[in-house]
Amino acid sequence: MRKATAALPSTLFSGATVRKWEPLLAKQHGVLMWSLMEEAGLRAWQLFRERWPEATELTVVCGRGNNAGDAYVLARNALAEGLTVRVLQIQPERLLKGDAKIAQQQFMDAGGRFEVAEACRLAGASHIVDGLLGTGFEGDLRPEFLEMITAINDSGAKVLALDLPSGLNGDNGYVAEAVVQADVTLTFVGVKQGLLTGMAVGCCGDIVLAPLAIGDAMASQVRCDASKVSYADYLHYLGPRKPDSHKGDHGRIAVIGGNHGMPGAVRLASEAALRSGAGLVSIISRYENLPLIQAGRPELMLWGSDIADMEVYQRVSWGQVVLCGPGLGSGDWAYHMWRVALNSERPLVMDADALNLLAKNPLKRDDWVLTPHPGEAARLLGVETVEIQRDRFKAVRELQERYGGVVLLKGAGTLIYDGESMLVAPVGNPGLATGGSGDVLSGIIASLLAQGLPLLDAAACGVCLHGEAADMAAEGGQRGMLASDLMPYIRQLVNPQE
């Protein structure tokens, strides 16, 4: 997790929540809305100066909302410090309103001038402040905004975005056409939930919160829309083991998967379960896979079967938790093994091909963790993948409502939801974009479940462990990183006291 992201508070809000509560809390605490704008602009200027102390000029690009007011306050402070300041405004012939109008007038009274926002005017800019669009933006960009966003990105300048990068939907992290690529984003009052998931991960740069005069009240008095979680939040589950404990105390897991030609997925998931602390792991797979699996990891117990007979049911029921899906494939064998898992009367982790079977044979239960990536989520909901990414928060809610249990929507800024608590885990890195990474994650989650963690905590802790291990593995470079590279780091992370 980036240092700036780790420093953010856990409370996350939608833009609508902030817009609703901002004036109410300001009134409650005797704070003028103009004072909040003045503070926001000043804090933005201070952050700009901290990041780029060498800057002698900046170009401020703004629209017509409150973000424009924040931008004008920043511009006035920069002008007072002796910088050469250029303000480019969308549709300058239309007057700003309210506090934004006051901020614009004060900038002009200080000797500043503004020009019409045109792409050509960004030529040669070294530092840009993006105040084009705020949290109220949704839908498609108007042509003049699209032109300026494209020009900002083509300029090669360092960019500070105010509240969120223009073009980004702060509620869900979706980008329709284009978005400002910021080096740093200063968000105000509360962290917007969409900044930490989906496409937002690639455009916000470092995210910094300026809580302003009402930020503490927002965090303490207003129910948040989501919560940021990290590895540190789950250390209390990873304390030392009792000196007299034995393998039976740390959980038994039955893993079902590994169809023809797919021993790797079930092997990775099962080894990850052991490395995460499970006492015993038994694999039920095709006969042909057993020698390959055991040759590489003799600590795994194996049972081969080409039919779902009573012996298979007994082997699966031995597990306190059942993980089904890695390398399961399709066809009759996969379907009948999937039914074995469903009939085991054990808590389940459903991953990979087990989710594709669930999409074809939908059912709902409370004792499982589902771990779809966006493509699998789309099949589970009967929509296109782009619809999942358009609003990941909506998608994970719909998945949980339809299928129950805990749903973990993988991707940049993984979401975990149990019907009540929405968790966002901004962990991991692009090195995880390789085959087998999801299998490792499912094995970690099954292991934590078997060790006694509740469903939601097992899923969230598993995601954070997985992401932290990926960051440690990526110190040698993200490109070429393998899922199996995470194993030694997983072992380290589940033993933090050492």
Side-chain angles (χ1 to χ4, degrees):
M1 184 183 295
R2 298 175 74 147
K3 289 183 179 180
T5 304
L8 296 173
S10 62
T11 51
L12 307 177
F13 301 95
S14 69
T17 297
V18 174
R19 290 193 301 274
K20 172 185 175 181
W21 282 96
E22 196 172 54
L24 297 176
L25 293 172
K27 182 177 181 180
Q28 178 183 330
H29 291 271
V31 178
L32 297 175
M33 293 300 292
W34 161 251
S35 297
L36 291 178
M37 182 172 288
E38 183 77 9
E39 186 184 358
L42 176 59
R43 184 64 188 92
W45 162 244
Q46 292 170 339
L47 178 60
F48 181 92
R49 219 37 175 154
E50 289 170 12
R51 290 298 176 113
W52 301 294
E54 76 288 352
T56 59
E57 63 84 23
L58 79 154
T59 301
V60 177
V61 186
C62 61
R64 300 184 59 256
N66 284 337
N67 259 25
D70 301 336
Y72 271 112
V73 173
L74 178 150
R76 192 186 77 234
N77 279 279
L79 202 64
E81 290 286 336
L83 270 70
T84 300
V85 180
R86 192 177 197 185
V87 176
L88 307 180
Q89 184 181 317
I90 297 287
Q91 297 178 329
E93 70 280 1
R94 297 177 62 185
L95 296 177
L96 299 183
K97 298 178 181 179
D99 294 331
K101 181 179 180 180
I102 296 172
Q104 182 189 57
Q105 187 61 54
Q106 288 191 352
F107 170 71
M108 295 174 65
D109 292 344
R113 295 291 180 267
F114 59 89
E115 308 167 54
V116 62
E118 294 177 337
C120 62
R121 298 182 190 273
L122 288 176
S126 61
H127 297 81
I128 295 174
V129 172
D130 164 31
L132 283 169
L133 295 166
T135 59
F137 168 74
E138 60 182 352
D140 297 326
L141 291 165
R142 297 207 304 268
E144 61 269 29
F145 286 94
L146 179 58
E147 177 189 8
M148 291 309 298
I149 289 171
T150 302
I152 290 170
N153 293 338
D154 290 344
S155 70
K158 299 294 184 181
V159 178
L160 165 64
L162 302 181
D163 219 4
L164 47 78
S166 294
L168 176 71
N169 186 314
D171 286 349
N172 54 44
Y174 183 69
V175 174
E177 297 160 284
V179 64
V180 167
Q181 298 293 321
D183 295 282
V184 58
T185 296
L186 180 64
T187 195
F188 302 117
V189 181
V191 180
K192 316 310 180 289
Q193 62 182 21
L195 296 178
L196 299 182
T197 192
M199 299 179 184
V201 175
C203 67
C204 290
D206 289 337
I207 302 170
V208 179
L209 172 66
L212 309 183
I214 60 170
D216 290 344
M218 176 71 73
S220 61
Q221 295 179 225
V222 180
R223 178 182 174 86
C224 64
D225 296 297
S227 299
K228 175 178 73 75
V229 293
S230 67
Y231 165 68
D233 295 323
Y234 299 96
L235 290 177
H236 60 285
Y237 284 120
L238 304 174
R241 289 178 168 179
K242 294 181 180 179
D244 62 342
S245 65
H246 56 80
K247 62 188 177 184
D249 294 331
H250 306 301
R252 303 187 305 273
I253 303 171
V255 182
I256 303 174
N259 210 329
H260 293 304
M262 292 186 284
V266 73
R267 153 72 193 278
L268 284 167
S270 300
E271 181 172 350
L274 284 178
R275 291 297 188 189
S276 303
L280 295 163
V281 178
S282 181
I283 297 173
I284 297 89
S285 185
R286 290 280 194 178
Y287 281 109
E288 67 194 57
N289 292 328
L290 304 190
L292 293 171
I293 295 171
Q294 191 146 45
R297 184 51 62 213
E299 297 87 350
L300 293 168
M301 297 183 291
L302 306 168
W303 181 258
S305 180
D306 289 330
I307 58 171
D309 56 16
M310 288 305 300
E311 185 107 30
V312 169
Y313 274 90
Q314 292 173 358
R315 294 278 174 173
V316 172
S317 296
W318 162 90
Q320 294 166 309
V321 171
V322 177
L323 165 57
C324 181
L328 187 66
S330 58
D332 288 344
W333 183 83
Y335 174 76
H336 290 298
M337 289 297 175
W338 181 72
R339 295 299 310 179
V340 169
L342 293 177
N343 293 329
S344 66
E345 298 184 352
R346 298 289 188 270
L348 301 174
V349 178
M350 286 284 183
D351 185 37
D353 294 317
L355 297 172
N356 295 327
L357 285 167
L358 180 60
K360 297 176 182 176
N361 307 273
L363 61 117
K364 185 175 184 178
R365 55 192 290 172
D366 296 327
D367 62 343
W368 61 11
V369 177
L370 307 181
T371 64
H373 58 57
E376 292 161 346
R379 288 189 282 277
L380 286 165
L381 292 178
V383 299
E384 298 296 323
T385 302
V386 67
E387 292 302 312
I388 301 298
Q389 294 297 79
R390 191 182 302 277
D391 193 335
R392 289 168 54 81
F393 291 94
K394 177 183 176 184
V396 77
R397 286 190 179 94
E398 290 181 353
L399 285 165
Q400 200 283 330
E401 183 178 353
R402 184 174 301 187
Y403 295 100
V406 173
V407 179
L408 186 159
L409 180 56
K410 293 187 286 194
T414 294
L415 305 182
I416 308 107
Y417 185 59
D418 67 347
E420 295 183 3
S421 298
M422 178 70 73
L423 308 180
V424 183
V427 299
N429 60 74
L432 289 171
T434 185
S437 294
D439 303 311
V440 170
L441 174 59
S442 64
I444 296 172
I445 294 171
S447 179
L448 295 172
L449 271 178
Q451 292 175 73
L453 273 69
L455 243 62
L456 181 65
D457 288 349
C461 181
V463 170
C464 294
L465 272 169
H466 186 252
E468 194 79 11
D471 286 344
M472 296 168 74
E475 290 181 5
Q478 295 177 3
R479 186 175 284 112
M481 196 171 89
L482 303 179
S484 56
D485 292 339
L486 275 61
M487 298 300 180
Y489 303 109
I490 293 169
R491 184 182 177 190
Q492 288 183 37
L493 290 166
V494 295
N495 292 284
Q497 70 281 357
E498 299 175 7

